[in-house]
């Protein structure tokens, strides 16, 4: 094995970005400790719709990163073809009927960049993907993207942690929250609220929506656009849905055990109040309205019942682009902060571990570096 630039790393955060990076570093023979403020996947990764895609419009570097991310999941799916927590059964999206409906423009754009897309009239959808109330689709039609899929992140994180532990990695969940430990202007590890120190040659901030504030405390500015998000998991039911649906009023997908996961930005905006102690109050009427929206786009309009609700910040940088790489204002410290953490989760772990282990910058991360926001 080649000599690495560091021999030890501490990662703060046990979501998909932190665990993926930790595993990739452990595979390189680097000693890794992951410190989390509770069980793994207890933050944004535990309440993510986890739609694997690069649909609609975004910057070219971000599109390439997302496509590489989907590729890594396809490799994993080929290795584990029978699991019920990683599927590639496509995605279907449509816009609201009206003058702002842009579905044809989106279709033309996706075709222009080689993204597999089919524009379907409402009546043609049932022959392509099952389980959808086609009467809910706007008259302009819907785009079916056959290469898209979904993953259950908590299950995936558990699988990754098994290999991480087998390689000698350490997961710490009983010392409370942690922050970057800085001495003489350099990150030298992490210190938990318990006072316990975890020293290392490199530190990774992978705490989801908490990254910008923690980076600012360490001396690095990262613009933050994090909203509050809501994810509902239903009780098991009989349904034939296979694709991920992204509709004007609700996004949803199948989930293991015959359940459905669903969310919507409007529901979080209208139905969640942040209490003074930082916990969340969820409005039951909005939850019921969201369940009704989800039922309306499913064939047969089945009755949906809540099994679990997750609320919290959805990590989104201020400019919408991922924040991945070294924090130049804090030598020895790296950040991993992004929307679509599910889609890019595996490949970000691979690329960020490359940078930490080799001391070299990976060209795919060139536009995503934290120092684009300036120093704190």
């Amino acid at each position: 094995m080649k000599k690495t630039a560091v021999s030890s790393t501490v990662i703060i955060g046990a979501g998909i970005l932190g665990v993926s990076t930790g595993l990739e570093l452990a595979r390189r023979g680097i000693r890794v400790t992951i410190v989390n403020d509770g069980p793994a996947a207890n933050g944004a990764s535990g309440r993510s719709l986890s739609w694997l895609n690069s649909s609609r419009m975004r910057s070219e570097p971000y599109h390439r990163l997302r496509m590489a991310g989907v590729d890594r999941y396809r490799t994993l799916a080929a290795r584990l073809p029978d699991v019920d927590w990683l599927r590639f059964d496509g995605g279907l999206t449509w816009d609201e009927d009206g003058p702002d409906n842009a579905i044809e423009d989106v279709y033309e754009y996706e075709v222009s960049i080689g993204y597999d897309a089919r524009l379907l009239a409402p009546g043609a959808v049932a022959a392509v993907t099952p389980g959808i109330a086609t009467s809910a689709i706007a008259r302009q039609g819907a785009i079916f993207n056959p290469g898209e899929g979904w993953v259950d992140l908590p299950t995936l994180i558990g699988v990754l942690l098994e290999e991480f532990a087998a390689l000698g990695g350490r997961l710490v969940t009983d010392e409370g929250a942690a922050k970057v430990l800085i001495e003489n202007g350099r990150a030298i590890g992490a210190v938990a609220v318990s006072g316990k120190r975890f020293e290392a040659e490199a530190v990774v901030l992978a705490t989801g929506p908490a990254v910008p504030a923690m980076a600012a405390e360490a001396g690095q500015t990262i613009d933050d656009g994090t909203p509050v998000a809501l994810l509902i998991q239903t009780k098991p039911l009989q349904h034939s849905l296979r694709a991920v649906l992204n509709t004007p009023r609700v996004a949803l997908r199948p989930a293991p055990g015959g359940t459905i996961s669903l969310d919507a930005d409007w529901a979080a905006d209208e139905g969640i109040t942040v209490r003074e102690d930082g916990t969340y109050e969820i409005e039951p009427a909005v939850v019921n309205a969201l369940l009704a929206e989800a039922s309306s786009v499913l064939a047969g309009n089945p009755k949906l019942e809540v099994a679990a609700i997750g609320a919290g910040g959805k990590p989104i940088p201020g400019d919408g682009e991922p924040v991945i790489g070294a924090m130049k204002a804090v030598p020895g410290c790296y950040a991993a902060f992004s929307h679509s953490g599910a889609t890019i989760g595996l490949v970000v772990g691979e690329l960020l571990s490359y940078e930490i282990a080799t001391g070299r910058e990976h060209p795919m991360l060139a536009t995503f570096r934290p120092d684009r926001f300036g120093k704190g």
Side-chain angles (χ1 to χ4, degrees), residues 199-247:
E199 297 190 7
E201 295 174 14
V203 183
V204 178
L205 265 182
T207 51
V211 167
M214 294 177 70
E217 186 178 359
Q220 174 71 60
T221 295
I222 295 176
D223 287 355
D224 188 15
T226 295
V228 175
L230 174 73
L231 184 81
I232 294 176
Q233 193 82 20
T234 74
K235 293 179 179 179
L237 69 150
Q238 291 292 326
H239 68 84
S240 57
L241 181 69
R242 297 177 65 188
V244 181
L245 302 188
N246 187 15
T247 83

Side-chain angles (χ1 to χ4, degrees), residues 71-219:
D71 172 76
R72 300 309 189 268
Y73 281 104
R74 288 197 169 279
T75 300
L76 182 62
R79 187 161 58 97
L80 303 172
D82 299 323
V83 299
D84 66 351
W85 48 267
L86 174 61
R87 303 294 303 170
F88 281 98
D89 294 317
L92 187 80
T93 184
W94 66 87
D95 289 352
E96 189 172 4
D97 189 4
D100 295 329
N101 187 297
I103 207 71
E104 289 191 26
D105 292 338
V106 171
Y107 169 72
E108 293 295 341
Y109 174 77
E110 290 183 351
V111 169
S112 76
I113 61 173
Y115 193 70
D116 197 357
R118 305 173 192 176
L119 183 60
L120 304 173
V125 168
V128 175
T129 186
I132 298 155
T134 55
S135 60
I137 300 172
R139 59 186 172 81
Q140 294 88 347
I143 297 172
F144 182 65
N145 302 111
E148 295 179 354
W150 60 269
V151 63
D152 184 73
L153 278 184
T155 304
L156 170 61
I157 288 169
V159 170
L160 299 182
L161 283 172
E162 288 181 7
E163 183 183 350
F164 176 73
L167 292 171
R170 180 186 179 199
L171 173 64
V172 177
T173 61
D174 55 357
E175 299 289 345
K179 64 179 181 179
V180 181
L181 182 60
I182 300 175
E183 289 186 2
N184 299 319
R186 181 178 180 83
I188 64 161
V191 58
V193 293
S194 67
K196 189 166 184 178
R197 292 161 60 108
F198 304 89
E199 297 190 7
E201 295 174 14
V203 183
V204 178
L205 265 182
T207 51
V211 167
M214 294 177 70
E217 186 178 359

